[in-house]
Amino acid sequence: MSTLFSLAFGVGTQNRQGNWLEIFYAQPLLNPAGELVDAIASLLNYSGGNQAIAITNTQASQLAEALKPLNTAQSALLTRLAESHRPLVATLLVEDSAPTSTPEAYLKLHLLSHRLVKPHGVNLSGIFPLLPNVAWTNEGAVDLAELAERQLEARLKGELLEVFSVDKFPKMTDYVVPAGVRIADTARIRLGAYVGEGTTVMHEGFINFNAGTEGPGMIEGRVSAGVFIGKGSDLGGGCSTMGTLSGGGNIVIAVGEGCLIGANAGIGIPLGDRNTVEAGLYITAGTKVHLLDEHNQLVKAVKARELAGQPDLLFRRNSLSGAVECKTHKSAIELNEVLHAHN
């Protein structure tokens, strides 16, 4: 039997040149069963590798019949897709390599928002050129080169084509609403965000693609790409973030359980469990930090990167000297032992 990393059947939008603008995958699969892959491969003449294969309504109907004894959910989906008036695609990924097409890129963003993989759990290298910059409107995605004409057509009919945003990424909730979440402003969560069960995102909260929270938790600030927030215990369960958490590239800025990042604060290092960063304080990897003992006496000055991932830390700024300070529930001797071991 054949094996795949991921498989999905989608319906999407193309411009007048037949180029994909976006794709909606209702039920993406991770590591689908071998017999399912074999049945699909024979009907689509799939020859291997990572491929996005355009399918017709007739092929969708044939696939629905072939998959009925193997996967009733996928069969039912294909039955619905067979009625579509929009273009259809079957995307098969044999391996998790860098995406090479818009359907592949959208599938990987769906895997994240469907909670099938966690941030940085899938290869998104080179994704930006594969995502066209489009107008997201009340009539769906519109190619920017076609927007003016579409707006005129709407006006002539006495209608309005409303443009919500112009961006490469759509909002997540137009594609998937994960179970057990509260989102005050859905426009601030991009497709490709991982929003764990029990997460609340307040009105000013923002979660980028390839970032998110394991939940439960409360997001009141910005969670940028590469950041993944662990489970918390604030107010009955939740890591509360009101500042900026910055990641990016191949670096994951992990935030442990029970952390609090204060208003207008931000981090550029991973945090261990039960860390607190006071309001207004931004910590980068190179920030000079004064370690204090239980008597508020200076023990040692280190760079913030040396404290990455350590639990039970409080980061604050001295209101008189302006120095960034760190206190811990551990004794100064235990902290020094941790730092020497870390070095």
Side-chain angles (χ1 to χ4, degrees):
M1 292 186 293
S2 303
T3 59
L4 288 179
F5 168 71
S6 183
L7 162 70
F9 300 102
V11 55
T13 306
Q14 294 177 332
N15 63 12
R16 291 171 182 169
Q17 286 71 47
N19 300 317
W20 288 104
L21 300 181
E22 57 84 39
I23 302 93
F24 171 68
Y25 298 106
Q27 299 175 26
L29 297 175
L30 189 68
N31 306 127
E35 63 264 18
L36 189 71
V37 177
D38 289 338
I40 294 168
S42 62
L43 284 170
L44 297 183
N45 295 318
Y46 170 64
S47 57
N50 292 358
Q51 290 191 43
I53 304 172
I55 60 175
T56 64
N57 296 67
T58 299
Q59 287 176 307
S61 181
Q62 293 171 342
L63 286 165
E65 188 63 28
L67 300 189
K68 190 176 295 184
L70 302 175
N71 188 310
T72 55
Q74 293 294 316
S75 176
L77 170 62
L78 284 159
T79 298
R80 298 294 304 277
L81 292 180
E83 304 169 355
S84 174
H85 297 289
R86 307 299 289 269
L88 305 175
V89 64
T91 303
L92 301 89
L93 305 181
V94 70
E95 62 181 0
D96 180 26
S97 56
T100 60
S101 67
T102 300
E104 289 181 38
Y106 264 84
L107 174 52
K108 292 196 170 185
L109 294 177
H110 276 73
L111 291 177
L112 284 157
S113 290
H114 277 270
R115 301 178 184 157
L116 295 175
V117 297
K118 291 183 178 180
H120 279 269
V122 67
N123 190 340
L124 298 177
S125 300
I127 192 173
F128 285 96
L130 300 174
L131 299 175
N133 194 31
V134 302
W136 301 99
T137 77
N138 58 318
E139 294 183 4
V142 176
D143 190 303
L144 292 178
E146 301 169 5
L147 179 60
E149 184 177 347
R150 289 281 297 272
Q151 288 174 317
L152 176 60
E153 290 174 355
R155 293 284 182 168
L156 293 176
K157 296 176 184 177
E159 300 171 354
L160 174 65
L161 181 66
E162 185 175 359
V163 179
F164 302 120
S165 68
V166 178
D167 196 5
K168 287 178 173 288
F169 291 84
K171 60 182 180 182
M172 180 189 72
T173 53
D174 283 348
Y175 294 80
V176 55
V177 179
V181 303
R182 293 172 55 207
I183 302 173
D185 185 351
T186 58
R188 298 180 66 83
I189 315 296
R190 277 177 155 181
L191 180 64
Y194 183 110
V195 187
E197 187 167 1
T199 298
T200 296
V201 186
M202 300 301 288
H203 292 81
E204 294 302 316
F206 171 84
I207 305 180
N208 209 341
F209 81 102
N210 208 22
T213 172
E214 192 170 7
M218 179 175 287
I219 306 298
E220 296 185 72
R222 179 182 178 86
V223 182
S224 66
V227 175
F228 188 56
I229 303 171
K231 296 180 180 179
S233 57
D234 178 55
L235 295 178
C239 174
S240 177
T241 65
M242 295 174 281
T244 300
L245 286 76
S246 300
N250 294 318
I251 301 172
V252 180
I253 304 297
V255 178
E257 299 182 6
C259 292
L260 172 63
I261 291 68
N264 299 314
I267 60 170
I269 62 169
L271 294 183
D273 296 340
R274 300 171 300 279
N275 276 211
T276 298
V277 180
E278 77 164 8
L281 178 60
Y282 201 108
I283 302 171
T284 66
T287 299
K288 187 177 181 180
V289 180
H290 289 178
L291 301 178
L292 305 181
D293 62 17
E294 63 270 27
H295 304 295
N296 291 327
Q297 297 301 308
L298 177 64
V299 176
K300 187 179 181 180
V302 299
K303 290 186 176 180
R305 66 169 60 92
E306 299 182 59
L307 300 171
Q310 300 299 326
D312 302 298
L313 299 180
L314 165 63
F315 293 92
R316 68 188 189 187
R317 187 178 295 280
N318 188 297
S319 60
L320 297 178
S321 68
V324 177
E325 299 175 339
C326 177
K327 293 193 67 175
T328 176
H329 297 303
K330 299 178 181 293
S331 69
I333 294 176
E334 289 174 325
L335 181 57
N336 273 315
E337 289 175 350
V338 169
L339 290 174
H340 288 315
H342 191 273
N343 291 335

